[in-house]
Amino acid sequence: MSEHTPKDYSKLVDVLQDMKDEEFVGLKNLLNNAIEQIKEAQKMLRIMMSSIVFHHFSWKTHFGTGDASSTGIVIGGVWMMKGTLLGAVYDLSNFKCEPTLMVTPHFQQKGLYSEVDCMVSIRLGKAIQTAVRLIRNSNVNREAYS
């Protein structure tokens, strides 16, 4: 196995190595705060999405790069992205319908067109309850009264 020289490391590693201890602690705190905010946003998204009911969901995408081989490769990625996003939404909310996904490749044309058509509902009581839960679980609310 070969030894790694400092030239092999990325600029980020070089910057981290040159940081003073107090700067490193500041960066660590900044990253921890960012992670906490992402977790808080995820929790709020779960609360909001749990009260939404989907009655109709259709997502159609037309895509082409102008080259058949690259279009085929990208279409696979589009299917993966759409399936992952729909799976996350399906997991977080309530579906009363069978979602429709469609991807149409255009092998000899360049372009992207995507259309999402959905019908959702939320009961007024659920909307009020969700708003109260969001306010109660909000970090901003806790910090304001601390």
Side-chain angles (χ1 to χ4, degrees):
M1 289 194 189
S2 64
E3 289 285 319
H4 289 287
T5 63
K7 289 185 250 178
D8 294 337
Y9 295 115
S10 68
K11 291 181 181 182
L12 178 61
V13 172
D14 293 337
V15 169
L16 291 175
Q17 287 176 345
D18 291 342
M19 289 179 97
K20 296 182 176 90
D21 288 342
E22 55 274 355
E23 291 172 330
F24 191 71
V25 169
L27 177 64
K28 181 180 173 188
N29 290 338
L30 179 71
L31 291 175
N32 283 337
N33 288 339
I35 290 169
E36 287 301 316
Q37 288 177 354
I38 290 170
K39 286 180 182 177
E40 186 71 23
Q42 181 184 18
K43 184 180 0 173
M44 289 189 174
L45 181 67
R46 283 186 182 279
I47 291 170
M48 288 187 314
M49 291 297 291
S50 67
S51 34
I52 293 176
V53 177
F54 283 85
H55 299 282
H56 170 74
F57 187 89
S58 173
W59 188 2
K60 300 173 184 175
T61 303
H62 297 264
F63 180 79
T65 64
D67 176 54
S69 62
S70 62
T71 297
I73 292 169
V74 173
I75 287 295
V78 171
W79 272 113
M80 180 192 66
M81 179 205 60
K82 288 176 78 165
T84 302
L85 288 174
L86 180 62
V89 171
Y90 198 88
D91 186 47
L92 293 174
S93 57
N94 305 301
F95 274 78
K96 299 289 184 191
C97 65
E98 187 68 33
T100 304
L101 292 181
M102 190 172 93
V103 178
T104 305
H106 295 278
F107 296 109
Q108 303 301 322
Q109 298 172 342
K110 289 182 181 181
L112 170 66
Y113 173 77
S114 195
E115 174 184 312
V116 176
D117 183 29
C118 65
M119 183 184 303
V120 298
S121 67
I122 183 169
R123 296 185 181 265
L124 182 59
K126 277 285 207 183
I128 293 170
Q129 180 186 22
T130 300
V132 169
R133 284 181 65 194
L134 287 173
I135 292 169
R136 194 176 350 157
N137 289 328
S138 167
N139 253 348
V140 176
N141 189 36
R142 282 188 231 132
E143 291 171 4
Y145 296 108
S146 296

